[in-house]
Amino acid sequence: MEDSVNYAEYTVEQKSEGAHKRKRTLLITLYIVFCGGGLALFVGVLKLWPVGAIIPLLTYILHGFTWRYAQLEHKYEVANAKFRVSEIYGRKKQVTMFEEFVSEFSLIAPMTDEYKDQWEKADKILDYRSSKKTADGYFARLEKDGKSTVVYFEAINKMLKVMKFYNSKGTVITTMRY
């Protein structure tokens, strides 16, 4: 983390709703079916008790490799005049999903009815909010190569001030919780 006046960072954990909830449910179902099916096959049908004894261990290993994808966080960062959105899987693996100069955005504003036509109508919409019901929802609109991209994110006061520093014309600041 940088120690700068023009730096802001904020991380939110993805709430268990929508597609993320389905992914978590699917993984839990996979673990139950893998363990139950493996035990039923090797112990019940084939009578291979030693192989059946390692099925719970294999389920635990499967859990270790896959559950991190059900633990998702979104990290928003404004540094060196760039806005970066990263996804963090299992609190370990960080992948940059979006990065652009703040000055390139035509509008950075709250997701209110006043700006609804700006954040709803775009060629590409990237949603990196923790929940669709968040009170701190903001969007950044980018017009590039004749295509429009809108990025949904959650904002805090410091982040909006830094964005305003880099893009004073296009940034709308409202009162935030943090």
Side-chain angles (χ1 to χ4, degrees):
M1 187 160 132
E2 291 184 19
D3 190 26
S4 172
V5 176
N6 295 323
Y7 175 83
E9 171 183 305
Y10 185 54
T11 304
V12 295
E13 188 173 337
Q14 178 68 46
K15 304 284 190 263
S16 185
E17 63 183 28
H20 186 66
K21 186 175 185 175
R22 284 189 298 276
K23 184 188 298 182
R24 291 173 72 102
T25 305
L26 181 67
L27 283 173
I28 291 169
T29 305
L30 171 72
Y31 304 144
I32 292 168
V33 168
F34 181 80
C35 188
L39 286 173
L41 175 67
F42 288 109
V43 176
V45 176
L46 300 175
K47 306 291 188 217
L48 295 172
W49 290 92
V51 177
I54 66 167
I55 294 296
L57 176 64
L58 293 174
T59 304
Y60 179 74
I61 292 169
L62 177 66
H63 175 271
F65 282 111
T66 59
W67 188 248
R68 70 175 143 219
Y69 297 106
Q71 293 178 313
L72 178 63
E73 293 179 335
H74 303 287
K75 178 180 176 185
Y76 318 113
E77 184 178 22
V78 180
N80 301 325
K82 286 187 177 181
F83 174 62
R84 180 180 306 115
V85 179
S86 302
E87 287 187 345
I88 303 170
Y89 298 99
R91 294 178 177 82
K92 293 177 185 171
K93 183 180 177 188
Q94 182 171 323
V95 179
T96 300
M97 304 302 289
F98 179 84
E99 185 174 35
E100 190 63 55
F101 283 102
V102 175
S103 60
E104 295 290 319
F105 293 115
S106 59
L107 182 62
I108 301 168
M111 295 180 73
T112 60
D113 289 337
E114 182 180 353
Y115 302 103
K116 193 169 190 170
D117 60 328
Q118 294 289 321
W119 57 268
E120 273 191 341
K121 297 174 183 166
D123 297 320
K124 187 176 182 182
I125 296 176
L126 306 171
D127 190 352
Y128 298 113
R129 298 172 292 170
S130 66
S131 171
K132 297 195 184 309
K133 300 171 190 148
T134 184
D136 299 328
Y138 254 70
F139 73 94
R141 186 174 182 90
L142 178 68
E143 304 287 340
K144 205 174 208 181
D145 302 326
K147 303 257 182 190
S148 59
T149 302
V150 172
V151 180
Y152 298 160
F153 65 99
E154 292 181 42
I156 57 172
N157 285 322
K158 179 160 175 81
M159 183 170 289
L160 292 175
K161 288 177 184 174
V162 174
M163 288 178 142
K164 183 83 170 171
F165 177 80
Y166 290 118
N167 187 347
S168 59
K169 289 182 193 174
T171 305
V172 177
I173 296 180
T174 59
T175 306
M176 305 297 295
R177 292 185 296 164
Y178 305 107

